[in-house]
Amino acid sequence: MRLFGTSGIRGIVNSEITPQLALKVGMALGSYVDGDVAVAHDSRTSSVMLKDIIVSGITACGKDVYDIGLAPTPTTGIAIKSFGCKAGVTITASHNPPQYNGIKIWDEEGMALSEEEKIIEDLVFRENFNLKEWDKIGKVYERHEEALMLHKKRILNNIKIKKKYKIVIDCGNGAASLFSPYVFKEMGNNVISLNASPDGRFSRGLEPEKKNLRVLSDTVKASEADLGIAHDGDADRVGIVDENGEYVDYDVILALVASYVLKEGDIFITTVDASIKIDEYLKKYGISVKRTKVGDVAVVREMKSMHSSFGGEPSGTWIFRDFQMTPDGIYSGAKVLEMKEERGDISELKKEVPEYKIIREKIPCENNKKDKVMSRIKDKLSGYEEIDGLRVDLKDSWFLIRPSGTEPYIRITCEARTGEKAERLMRKCKELFSE
Ligand code: MG
């Protein structure tokens, strides 16, 4: 059994993610880590409960904790470095529905754990914890405000914007509700905020994608704003609405930002499910593209090994290496604003990205049946590549069939020159599941 998926440990609260499990993970981390730990949580109803238990586990094993409280995931990355911690924990289930929660662990560079996960898993399963005597118990330092101020300062110091803009920010009632609008205001902008009540009862779908952002689009239009910015539940992601109130596709905005931050000869790291329009667009700038498994863990590892300064997933999850190794939806939004000031309106820029039609769908599949289903599909296919799931490249089109690492679905991505061709491809893919 594996505890960690593509994005840490995630599941339904009090059935999969129980207080008992959280305590064990806290004690395992406290036993393993060689220093202090920064701990933050998102706005879910279960997040404070889980955070307190994790903190108890860590301190029981003699390690001090910097408690950041309610904060976006990227604030954890900033806090780890600022407070000299050796690890960080974020209690979040990102964009999953409100009944979910999760535990994501970061290393001292603010990178999501990979190999170390196995060590922690092993400690959890063997219940091998290094509990300390009464006079060696760890301390807890409350650092909520300080961590947020450090994060804000770092964003303001790294973004160059001369003019003032009208910006609409939709935080989806997530962890950035009280932070992201404030940061953009401090930059000098006029900010309208939507869904900024971090009460764990989400009023929209949490992925910052088109179908969840109609209110944001309408508000940008109605208020004649310059830009719309949306976040997922823990604000490591960003979704963008242009000055006409039109949602900008994940792949398009990713291609634009990659061309803006990278130079000729650089390598852009993205995932196996990203559009080929990114490759085509970046070719003009002399930037090459390398694909990894899905998940920011894989992207950030590849960025490190390829010395790439920018990587991202077509889910609004972007990593700016010189800023921090943790994906940061607030900094990402600010970078889009900076790009707009330097290069012009997003509605104009996006016309330069080649037109392909990408369709992403998901088919329900219980976690324990995924392997069996995938091996059946594999038998029916040929000419596939297995970076993550099964990807088949055809002439001017491609498709990917891949089990989700965080939810009970198998995801299908199809892309072609026209919507009609992409839909035909999607139908064929779905036929593979007909049994
Ligand atoms: Mg997230």
Side-chain angles (χ1 to χ4, degrees):
M1 197 189 119
R2 298 269 342 246
L3 211 50
F4 291 85
T6 46
S7 262
I9 304 167
R10 210 177 276 181
I12 293 172
V13 169
N14 283 348
S15 69
E16 290 159 309
I17 307 295
T18 59
Q20 290 88 336
L21 175 68
L23 182 62
K24 285 180 192 174
V25 173
M27 290 191 292
L29 180 62
S31 305
Y32 168 74
V33 72
D34 184 26
D36 304 340
V37 183
V39 182
H41 64 85
D42 72 9
S43 61
R44 288 162 195 274
T45 54
S46 57
S47 288
V48 172
M49 176 271 278
L50 291 169
K51 186 267 293 176
D52 285 344
I53 296 167
I54 291 262
V55 170
S56 296
I58 297 168
T59 51
C61 295
K63 305 297 154 50
D64 292 349
V65 167
Y66 286 82
D67 184 349
I68 300 157
L70 173 64
T73 285
T75 308
T76 313
I78 299 289
I80 292 168
K81 288 226 158 169
S82 307
F83 302 140
C85 295
K86 290 286 183 190
V89 178
T90 313
I91 307 300
T92 181
S94 185
H95 56 279
N96 287 56
Q99 66 272 29
Y100 281 78
N101 214 331
I103 305 165
K104 196 157 178 176
I105 305 177
W106 312 87
D107 71 8
E108 63 183 309
E109 285 184 75
M111 280 166 64
L113 287 198
S114 60
E115 295 95 58
E116 302 90 333
E117 285 179 347
K118 292 187 194 74
I119 301 170
I120 296 188
E121 250 171 29
D122 192 48
L123 293 172
V124 168
F125 291 142
R126 289 194 291 122
E127 305 203 1
N128 184 6
F129 309 121
N130 188 13
L131 296 172
K132 296 291 185 188
E133 288 171 31
W134 69 274
D135 57 347
K136 303 275 189 314
I137 305 289
K139 296 181 202 65
V140 180
Y141 305 107
E142 304 287 343
R143 290 290 187 274
H144 172 67
E145 213 173 304
E146 195 181 339
L148 290 173
M149 289 308 115
L150 286 164
H151 190 187
K152 179 203 78 176
K153 216 165 135 188
R154 204 166 146 66
I155 294 172
L156 296 187
N157 288 344
N158 282 277
I159 293 289
K160 291 162 204 73
I161 290 168
K162 293 179 209 86
K163 293 183 212 150
K164 293 187 193 321
Y165 299 90
K166 189 189 271 185
I167 299 168
V168 187
I169 302 183
D170 181 346
C171 293
N173 294 344
S177 294
L178 305 176
F179 182 64
S180 190
Y182 167 68
V183 171
F184 283 86
K185 205 165 183 181
E186 288 279 293
M187 245 174 243
N189 302 300
N190 177 358
V191 175
I192 299 170
S193 59
L194 303 173
N195 296 318
S197 311
D199 61 1
R201 295 173 204 282
F202 308 124
S203 55
R204 66 155 165 89
L206 279 184
E207 291 201 49
E209 60 187 341
K210 189 174 184 174
K211 69 170 167 45
N212 296 330
L213 302 179
R214 272 193 212 114
V215 178
L216 176 62
S217 286
D218 291 347
T219 311
V220 167
K221 246 184 267 176
S223 62
E224 297 181 344
D226 301 295
L227 190 68
I229 293 172
H231 300 299
D232 67 329
D234 62 328
D236 57 346
R237 299 201 202 176
V238 71
I240 296 294
V241 166
D242 70 19
E243 71 287 351
N244 297 332
E246 275 174 33
Y247 178 80
V248 189
D249 284 339
Y250 279 143
D251 300 279
V252 173
I253 193 71
L254 189 53
L256 292 174
V257 173
S259 77
Y260 175 63
V261 298
L262 294 172
K263 294 186 298 293
E264 198 179 339
D266 284 350
I267 302 172
F268 169 59
I269 309 295
T270 190
T271 47
V272 71
D273 56 339
S275 166
I276 41 177
K277 64 176 81 162
I278 298 176
D279 307 55
E280 253 181 57
Y281 181 70
L282 293 181
K283 207 183 269 176
K284 289 199 301 189
Y285 291 86
I287 298 162
S288 55
V289 178
K290 174 123 203 296
R291 282 182 169 71
T292 68
K293 283 188 176 192
V294 171
D296 59 284
V297 180
V299 172
V300 81
R301 296 276 146 189
E302 193 68 20
M303 282 173 69
K304 207 174 176 192
S305 80
M306 303 294 290
H307 304 287
S308 170
S309 60
F310 181 65
E313 290 190 88
S315 59
T317 315
W318 309 344
I319 297 143
F320 300 85
R321 189 179 175 170
D322 297 336
F323 186 72
Q324 68 160 328
M325 294 301 251
T326 312
D328 189 328
I330 302 114
Y331 183 70
S332 298
K335 207 70 193 171
V336 171
L337 185 63
E338 190 191 83
M339 175 175 78
K340 174 188 162 68
E341 184 168 281
E342 204 163 301
R343 287 197 169 169
D345 285 339
I346 310 295
S347 65
E348 288 301 316
L349 295 178
K350 73 182 186 186
K351 289 179 190 159
E352 294 165 24
V353 180
E355 289 243 9
Y356 276 90
K357 184 68 191 166
I358 197 159
I359 309 176
R360 295 185 170 100
E361 286 193 25
K362 49 192 186 183
I363 291 184
C365 181
E366 286 168 40
N367 288 333
N368 57 9
K369 290 191 178 136
K370 283 176 180 169
D371 286 348
K372 204 172 161 191
V373 172
M374 286 305 291
S375 93
R376 288 267 187 91
I377 302 272
K378 197 169 158 178
D379 291 341
K380 295 181 187 174
L381 289 176
S382 61
Y384 49 79
E385 196 185 8
E386 279 183 280
I387 295 176
D388 191 354
L390 303 164
R391 179 175 163 133
V392 178
D393 279 288
L394 305 159
K395 191 176 170 285
D396 263 5
S397 64
W398 61 276
F399 65 89
L400 172 75
I401 300 174
R402 186 193 146 262
S404 164
T406 53
E407 290 171 286
Y409 293 111
I410 289 182
R411 295 182 187 277
I412 308 175
T413 311
C414 295
E415 184 169 47
R417 279 278 182 197
T418 65
E420 200 185 318
K421 279 187 186 163
E423 270 157 33
R424 206 182 310 143
L425 205 51
M426 180 58 81
R427 274 199 300 277
K428 279 190 183 167
C429 286
K430 283 182 170 172
E431 277 169 22
L432 293 169
F433 289 81
S434 57
E435 299 176 26

